[in-house]
């Protein structure tokens, strides 16, 4: 057999394209060439494959081997094609089940000793194989748990190339090797924090519940020690658990980031990049392979920017388009990738560089120009995309008083779940389920409340105190307030509460 075929997967963001790997043997001088728009890492696969075959006692033809990756116009990157290339090349000289080889997708990198090494992105690659109709996939043993998360597909986890050959019906006397261990990246899943631990910030807790119920973005401004970070870290614990599709998307992004994925977590992710992070760290990027940034990793969860006033303005403004579109599109030289960006933004900032401006009992020594520069880091267009503006003060008591409100995470989750269920029923005939996702044309059209209810918003819009985008965001928050209150229609007090939350709640 001088021609053999099998399959691999080329990833672009979370999207995977099936690539046919063809190996042809000619009678010319021994050589190993790969064609089909391969990058440098993939172009070196020939050396890895030859070394792996030699050290596993698997004989490659001593002739010219040409490997074609089709479609040739599709860019292909990384070392995850190694196993497919090796199997196709060996199938030209070793008797294997040609039909089985041609109906199997192979994913993995080869070491020179023939071991299958783990690669990032196995989960989205297996998803792509399943959606394309393939029912068998070969992956490195270290990626077995990750690939096994996808049902309705047979996963063969191999530790070395000889195992793969035997699985396809070929003969090999090479002993099995110890599998390569998967790198333990990522700190694992933290336990949700208890909302009842928050003391003396009743209005802030209420605003946090509104944000969770509607999927709204939140800005918290206040002096150090007011509880901004404490509140933000408790938001994921009151959000609804992820459904199957969202959990798979979150796990796929973790896989592309190089983290070990062993199960589908139902807890919304929480990302908190340092204020020294670059725009590339926030939105993603890289050379050759475009890796997801903090925005993509926070999708379906919370992106928390602590010390928002310390972030460079250019980094903060990179959030504007993802906040509006729900996706992040990255374009590099010869590379394009699209990642989901359905996150809730929470920004915490001090009122000035020293944090004491306007604080009762505080002494601010910042120059007026310094305060203006600090607050202008959050540009007008970015603030216009934020739904709730909280103004916090320091807590004046160290414990819950007898009549003080203390909302537990369990109670908050129940409120959020009921409010979201009400919103889902209301938008059942539309593609949207959260109030934050409903476009303004719908809010001001088929779902428009009576003119009396929105008169304060219309007045603010005419005066120029409110943009049309801000008008729509206020309507979204008002509908969430109505859902929490159990109202079937929008009322004036719902709009009043939304205005209070938008302009900043004095606590």
């Amino acid at each position: 057999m001088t021609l053999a075929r099998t399959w691999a997967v080329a990833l672009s963001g979370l999207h995977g394209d099936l690539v046919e790997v063809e190996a042809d043997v000619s009678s010319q001088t021994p050589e190993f060439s790969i064609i089909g728009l391969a990058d440098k890492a993939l172009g070196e696969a020939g050396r890895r494959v030859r070394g792996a075959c030699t050290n596993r006692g698997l004989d490659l033809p001593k002739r010219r081997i040409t490997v074609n990756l089709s479609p040739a116009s599709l860019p292909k990157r990384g070392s995850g094609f190694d196993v497919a290339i090796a199997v196709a090349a060996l199938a030209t000289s070793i008797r294997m089940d040609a039909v089985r080889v041609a109906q199997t997708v192979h994913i993995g990198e080869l070491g020179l000793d023939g071991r299958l090494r783990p690669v990032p992105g196995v989960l989205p690659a297996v998803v792509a194989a399943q959606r394309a109709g393939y029912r068998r996939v070969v992956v490195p043993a270290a990626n077995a748990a990750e690939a096994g998360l996808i049902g309705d597909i047979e996963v063969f986890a191999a530790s070395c190339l000889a195992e793969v050959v035997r699985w396809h019906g070929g003969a090999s006397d090479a002993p099995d090797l110890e599998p390569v261990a998967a790198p333990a990246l990522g700190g694992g899943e933290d336990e949700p924090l208890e909302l009842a631990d928050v003391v003396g910030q009743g209005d802030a807790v209420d605003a946090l519940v509104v944000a969770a119920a509607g999927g709204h973005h939140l800005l918290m401004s206040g002096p150090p020690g007011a509880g901004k970070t404490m509140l933000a870290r408790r938001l994921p614990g009151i959000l609804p658990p992820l459904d199957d599709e969202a959990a798979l998307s979150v796990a796929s992004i973790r896989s592309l980031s190089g983290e070990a994925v062993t199960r589908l977590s139902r807890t919304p992710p929480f990302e908190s990049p340092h204020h020294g992070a670059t725009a590339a760290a926030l939105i993603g990027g890289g050379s050759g392979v475009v890796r997801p940034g903090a925005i993509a990793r926070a999708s379906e969860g919370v992106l928390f920017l602590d010390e928002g006033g310390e972030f460079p303005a250019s980094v903060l403004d990179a959030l504007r388009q993802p906040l509006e579109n729900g996706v992040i599109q990255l374009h590099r030289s010869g590379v394009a990738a699209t990642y989901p960006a359905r996150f809730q933004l929470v920004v915490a900032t001090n009122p000035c560089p020293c944090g004491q401006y306007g604080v009762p009992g505080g002494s601010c020594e910042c120059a007026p120009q310094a305060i203006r520069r600090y607050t202008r880091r959050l540009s007008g267009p970015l603030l216009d995309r934020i739904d709730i503006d909280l103004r916090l003060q320091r807590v004046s008591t160290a414990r819950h008083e007898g009549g003080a409100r203390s909302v537990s995470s369990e109670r908050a989750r129940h409120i959020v779940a009921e409010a979201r269920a009400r919103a889902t029923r209301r938008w059942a005939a539309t593609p949207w389920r959260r109030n934050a996702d409903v476009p303004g044309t719908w809010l001001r059209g088929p779902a428009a409340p009576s003119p009396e209810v929105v008169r304060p918003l219309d007045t603010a819009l005419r005066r120029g105190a409110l943009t049309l985008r801000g008008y729509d965001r206020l309507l979204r928050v008002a509908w969430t307030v109505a859902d929490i209150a159990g109202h079937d229609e929008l009322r004036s007090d719902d709009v009043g509460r939304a205005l209070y939350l938008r302009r900043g709640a004095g606590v």
Side-chain angles (χ1 to χ4, degrees), residues 310-436:
E310 300 291 343
F311 280 83
S314 58
V315 173
L316 292 172
D317 284 340
L319 294 167
R320 286 156 55 178
Q321 186 178 9
L323 283 172
E324 202 71 22
N325 300 335
V327 296
I328 179 71
Q329 296 177 325
L330 304 175
H331 297 271
R332 298 295 183 268
S333 178
V335 189
T338 300
Y339 291 108
R342 287 172 47 85
F343 59 89
Q344 274 187 257
L345 176 65
V346 179
V347 181
T349 183
N350 294 331
C352 68
C354 76
Q356 302 301 315
Y357 180 71
V359 178
S363 177
C364 176
E365 299 179 354
C366 301
Q369 307 92 293
I371 297 175
R372 283 195 295 269
R373 281 196 302 269
Y374 189 82
T375 56
R376 284 176 182 172
R377 297 281 182 87
L378 299 172
S379 66
L382 177 60
L383 292 174
D384 205 32
R385 289 166 167 82
I386 292 177
D387 308 307
I388 299 173
D389 182 3
L390 265 180
R391 306 293 172 86
L392 305 180
Q393 295 294 347
R394 289 195 178 114
V395 177
S396 58
T397 180
R399 59 184 61 86
H400 290 294
E401 301 295 341
R405 292 170 291 174
S406 177
V407 180
S408 68
S409 292
E410 182 179 0
R411 173 60 181 160
R413 280 193 297 270
H414 178 71
I415 295 172
V416 169
E418 286 194 338
R420 290 207 177 195
R422 184 177 291 274
T424 299
R425 290 192 297 270
R426 180 172 57 255
W427 310 120
T430 73
W432 314 290
R433 294 298 174 263
R434 299 187 313 173
N435 292 326

